Amino acid sequence: MSETTTATTDVEEKHDLTVVRDVVAKYRGARGSIIPVLQTVQTHFGYLPMEAVELISKSMRLPMAQLLGVASFYAQFRLTPRGKYMVKICCGTACHVKGAQRMVERALETLDVEAGETTADKVFTIERVACIGACSLAPVITVNDDATGYLDVDKFAGIIDDLKKSEKTGDGE
Ligand code: FES
């Protein structure tokens, strides 16, 4: 049985889904409401929990496949929780030319994750992204939206190490 067919059965709540009920009620009957509903839910949880998507599906009478299709199509949506540190490595042309791919490889190797995934301890999420509009600083990364440029693999690895250490010492709180 596919994920989409099981998803329309009763929703088991691991999260408080009040925000979902509220936003669905707010947009009930409105055209073009899928994106703002998903945005509101993601802003609340930091990602789109599957039971929230299931409740939206049930309440708005929309197929799960349609909601998951929208959530997968737009880069702004995440279906998995993000880590405490969202590390985005720009892989646009200017950053690529200046070694962004080597930083990606170092991050994935050091943290033992795949691109787009979150470490098991939920501390880091590593993502490759397209040009973030700071090409003159290439190669550039952002950590929770703070940009750092003129990096190389060693400087980048140093940033990751510092964040790991601050987690261990509790300074990252
Ligand atoms: S290519 Fe990386 S900021 Fe533009």
Side-chain angles (χ1 to χ4, degrees):
M1 190 180 291
S2 75
E3 209 176 315
T4 41
T5 51
T6 55
T8 52
T9 57
D10 283 342
V11 178
E12 183 194 334
E13 294 190 19
K14 286 183 237 140
H15 296 83
D16 179 353
L17 298 179
T18 305
V19 69
V20 180
R21 294 189 182 88
D22 289 349
V23 74
V24 164
K26 178 179 171 187
Y27 285 98
R28 192 173 304 285
R31 284 176 169 239
S33 56
I34 294 179
I35 300 272
V37 167
L38 293 179
Q39 281 171 331
T40 302
V41 173
Q42 172 150 304
T43 300
H44 182 80
F45 292 109
Y47 75 110
L48 298 171
M50 197 50 66
E51 68 262 40
V53 182
E54 289 172 8
L55 182 56
I56 295 167
S57 168
K58 220 173 151 187
S59 310
M60 296 177 74
R61 299 179 191 221
L62 292 168
M64 279 296 282
Q66 185 179 354
L67 293 171
L68 294 174
V70 171
S72 308
F73 180 79
Y74 292 100
Q76 65 177 299
F77 295 121
R78 297 186 58 77
L79 290 164
T80 52
R82 49 170 276 175
K84 178 176 179 183
Y85 300 111
M86 169 63 89
V87 180
K88 294 181 180 177
I89 303 169
C90 177
C91 292
T93 305
C95 292
H96 178 76
V97 167
K98 294 203 172 177
Q101 184 55 30
R102 289 197 299 280
M103 297 197 301
V104 172
E105 286 161 9
R106 175 68 77 91
L108 303 187
E109 194 185 300
T110 308
L111 299 172
D112 195 23
V113 281
E114 296 296 323
E117 289 185 351
T118 299
T119 53
D121 58 8
K122 306 259 190 300
V123 175
F124 293 97
T125 300
I126 303 294
E127 280 193 347
R128 289 186 177 99
V129 294
C131 178
I132 58 171
C135 307
S136 60
L137 306 179
V140 186
I141 67 162
T142 59
V143 178
N144 295 348
D145 297 329
D146 289 334
T148 307
Y150 304 122
L151 292 172
D152 57 31
V153 176
D154 290 336
K155 285 184 196 162
F156 173 69
I159 291 171
I160 299 290
D161 280 349
D162 287 347
L163 292 172
K164 277 173 144 180
K165 278 182 206 148
S166 69
E167 272 311 293
K168 284 197 183 120
T169 59
D171 293 348
E173 294 306 315

